Amino acid sequence: MSQHSLLPSTITYQLTRRKNHPRLVADVLLLMFSYVLAAGLTQRALQEVDVLIISGMGMGWYFSSRLSDLYNEFRTVTFIDELLALLPNLLIQFLVLVVSLFFLKDYDYTRSFTLAYVAVLAATVTLKMYGTRKLMMFWNAKGVNQRNLVIVGEMNQVDGFRSLVQRNPQFGYTILGTWGYKESGRKTPPLHETIDFLNETSMGKVIDELVIAPSQFEESYVKSIISWADRKGILVRFTPGFFQFSASRYSLELFGNYPLITVRSTPLEMDSWWMLKRAFDLIFSALFLVLVASWLFPLIALAIALDSKGPVFFIQDRWGQRGRNIAVWKFRTMYYKASTVREDGGFNQTTQDDPRITKVGRFLRKTNLDELPQFINVLLGSMSVVGPRPHAVKHSLETLPQIENYMIRHRLKPGITGWAQVNGFRGETQEIGLMRKRVDYDIWYIENWSLLLDFQIVLRTAYNMVKGDPQAF
């Protein structure tokens, strides 16, 4: 199974990223409406100072929406992505309101009013987003608000791009024409033939956007077509050999005046999403340690102590983010001082019916309870609740030369559970093919992270703990 077959391709061609100011104005009006409605629901009397609070919250919404790209063109973006972009803005609203009421010493109905405001705002903005999306996509599919598109470049690239647009009429693009060349044996693309096609296509027709899709970046070819389009006032976009790389996501950003393409981009490179994931980790781990670990850990510790001699916890050095060593906490499941080194000096992985595992340890491994102390790692910041599972240092050193893209999985903090684990790739990996598949799943998770995906993985992990995992031993 290749990396790209794990799930349907998530490559998104965002042909437009224009700001949509009417949507911002509409949301600010909804913000004001939500504030007044929340005050009415909680019987909180409005005062003159509330005008200042609403103004401050409107400014907070403006800046947070810019940081989260909430109002970028959404015709090629999924609704889930829109909702995820909304979450940081709601969090900022909550914080701004709490701080404002604190400094104004307005303690009347503070808790109920704040919760009511955020709930009403979330509901109204979500309904507005959904309705706007459905309306715009209905118009686009009916031919309203269409943009005329022409695609030129290497034939396979052109066919793939054309197929994508044709399968998604809601994107709002009409293809005026396509022209592709076969790359076999060519040193340079056929520029004159491309220009002749463009001249013919543009006669009597308005081209809004031109997509150049060569398989490799040919500077002279792209530069000449851009010059032709500039003379016509046509917007140009191009895919400079993206698909020659084995990655499923890319992002484009400005570094000063230089546009840079990031290969294997991840949403967590944005501070807003990283902070949201970290907040989830802190809240989840703190609640678990207080509500569950406070009574469960002593019971497990007692069972381990009665079963065999030795310490309750097992602390092992593993590779964390960027390959740095971290000390990972686990409940001890093997007999004290059991060796992790084979006779040939290699890393001795745990196997089914491993004689090193104690009776209690076998139960802990089967139910994944041995991993629970890693919530301490999460709270301290060396791990995340969800992420690629960390491997022992010696295991990682042995695997690194055998899998070319192994280190990509270390771009994020390791997790207590992960996408590979809930898809059955856990436990012993003596076969290098199984390890490659595990790495493929880890890379897919890194490139396609979302908070919703983290929740899904947590729920599937909990289900597997109850059901029992045949690979857990």
Side-chain angles (χ1 to χ4, degrees):
M1 181 187 299
S2 68
Q3 175 181 338
H4 304 291
S5 65
L6 303 180
L7 280 180
S9 175
T10 56
I11 302 174
T12 300
Y13 296 88
Q14 251 181 276
L15 300 178
T16 52
R17 292 181 64 84
R18 295 180 297 277
K19 300 294 182 182
N20 196 323
H21 297 296
R23 291 159 63 199
L24 170 61
V25 173
D27 284 347
V28 171
L29 292 176
L30 287 177
L31 182 153
M32 299 168 61
F33 167 78
S34 300
Y35 192 96
V36 174
L37 180 58
L41 292 174
T42 57
Q43 298 181 344
R44 179 181 179 276
L46 292 175
Q47 305 173 23
E48 293 181 359
V49 72
D50 287 301
V51 176
L52 293 176
I53 297 177
I54 293 175
S55 299
M57 297 178 72
M59 291 296 294
W61 184 272
Y62 171 76
F63 287 111
S64 65
S65 65
R66 286 177 62 91
L67 290 173
S68 62
D69 292 330
L70 185 61
Y71 298 115
N72 282 348
E73 178 62 45
F74 61 91
R75 66 172 76 194
T76 60
V77 179
T78 65
F79 185 59
I80 291 297
D81 287 332
E82 273 199 275
L83 289 180
L84 290 174
L86 175 64
L87 290 177
N89 297 277
L90 295 175
L91 178 61
I92 293 298
Q93 289 293 296
F94 174 80
L95 295 175
V96 170
L97 182 55
V98 169
V99 171
S100 298
L101 295 177
F102 174 80
F103 279 106
L104 292 172
K105 297 183 178 180
D106 186 349
Y107 305 126
D108 295 335
Y109 311 103
T110 299
R111 182 180 302 175
S112 58
F113 171 65
T114 303
L115 294 177
Y117 167 71
V118 173
V120 172
L121 181 62
T124 54
V125 173
T126 299
L127 288 174
K128 188 270 307 181
M129 289 168 56
Y130 183 78
T132 302
R133 164 178 285 270
K134 287 299 183 181
L135 181 61
M136 294 300 295
M137 289 186 172
F138 173 77
W139 285 346
N140 290 339
K142 293 296 183 181
V144 181
N145 192 29
Q146 292 283 303
R147 296 183 65 81
N148 292 331
L149 178 68
V150 172
I151 312 168
V152 299
E154 195 274 328
M155 187 170 294
N156 290 331
Q157 302 279 9
V158 170
D159 289 344
F161 206 99
R162 176 179 57 197
S163 176
L164 174 72
V165 175
Q166 290 174 337
R167 290 197 311 269
N168 296 275
Q170 74 275 10
F171 285 0
Y173 284 89
T174 297
I175 298 178
L176 292 183
T178 62
W179 189 87
Y181 62 88
K182 290 187 177 180
E183 196 178 20
S184 57
R186 289 186 179 272
K187 293 184 178 179
T188 58
L191 176 61
H192 291 297
E193 297 177 33
T194 307
I195 296 296
D196 289 343
F197 163 78
L198 292 172
N199 285 328
E200 181 180 345
T201 304
S202 62
M203 291 181 61
K205 298 177 182 177
V206 176
I207 301 176
D208 294 309
E209 299 185 18
L210 170 63
V211 172
I212 309 171
S215 61
Q216 304 264 344
F217 182 81
E218 293 287 349
E219 182 177 359
S220 59
Y221 181 78
V222 173
K223 186 176 180 180
S224 298
I225 295 179
I226 290 176
S227 297
W228 178 90
D230 285 345
R231 292 193 297 270
K232 302 283 187 178
I234 298 171
L235 178 66
V236 176
R237 306 179 188 276
F238 64 93
T239 60
F242 281 1
F243 301 104
Q244 61 187 297
F245 304 112
S246 57
S248 61
R249 287 186 73 100
Y250 306 86
S251 66
L252 179 64
E253 60 183 330
L254 285 177
F255 190 88
N257 295 325
Y258 291 87
L260 295 181
I261 297 166
T262 301
V263 180
R264 300 192 189 280
S265 64
T266 172
L268 290 173
E269 289 168 349
M270 295 179 59
D271 289 341
S272 56
W273 295 125
W274 176 86
M275 291 172 63
L276 186 63
K277 183 173 175 63
R278 182 56 184 154
F280 170 75
D281 286 341
L282 287 172
I283 295 172
F284 194 97
S285 58
L287 289 175
F288 175 83
L289 291 173
V290 171
L291 300 178
V292 179
S294 58
W295 59 267
L296 181 59
F297 280 17
L299 296 178
I300 295 176
L302 179 61
I304 293 173
L306 293 175
D307 183 51
S308 63
K309 296 180 180 180
V312 170
F313 293 105
F314 173 69
I315 302 176
Q316 185 180 50
D317 284 342
R318 299 190 178 189
W319 275 10
Q321 192 173 22
R322 299 185 182 91
R324 297 170 180 165
N325 283 15
I326 60 173
V328 174
W329 288 63
K330 292 185 63 175
F331 281 118
R332 180 174 60 85
T333 59
M334 293 186 178
Y335 291 102
Y336 185 47
K337 294 185 178 181
S339 177
T340 59
V341 180
R342 299 194 306 264
E343 292 182 1
D344 60 2
F347 180 73
N348 193 6
Q349 294 189 53
T350 306
T351 59
Q352 196 164 13
D353 299 323
D354 197 313
R356 295 172 298 169
I357 301 176
T358 65
K359 293 180 180 178
V360 170
R362 199 167 303 281
F363 171 77
L364 295 178
R365 284 175 172 268
K366 192 69 176 178
T367 56
N368 292 309
L369 293 174
D370 62 317
E371 310 285 359
L372 296 183
Q374 288 162 35
F375 279 103
I376 300 173
N377 289 97
V378 175
L379 197 63
L380 295 177
S382 60
M383 290 182 63
S384 181
V385 174
V386 180
R389 284 292 298 152
H391 298 152
V393 173
K394 193 170 184 62
H395 188 195
S396 294
L397 289 173
E398 292 177 358
T399 306
L400 180 61
Q402 302 181 65
I403 300 180
E404 184 178 358
N405 52 5
Y406 182 76
M407 283 303 298
I408 296 173
R409 69 190 302 274
H410 293 285
R411 283 180 57 182
L412 298 185
K413 290 179 182 179
I416 298 176
T417 184
W419 184 237
Q421 281 63 45
V422 298
N423 281 282
F425 293 96
R426 58 158 297 162
E428 183 184 9
T429 52
Q430 298 288 359
E431 297 181 15
I432 195 62
L434 292 177
M435 179 58 78
R436 285 198 181 97
K437 289 181 179 180
R438 178 183 290 187
V439 171
D440 284 343
Y441 274 90
D442 289 337
I443 293 174
W444 187 91
Y445 170 80
I446 290 171
E447 295 179 348
N448 297 276
W449 174 88
S450 70
L451 193 62
L452 187 63
L453 180 60
D454 274 5
F455 280 119
Q456 177 186 346
I457 293 172
V458 169
L459 292 176
R460 288 178 63 175
T461 301
Y463 173 74
N464 288 340
M465 290 178 68
V466 175
K467 182 190 68 171
D469 191 335
Q471 296 298 319
F473 47 79

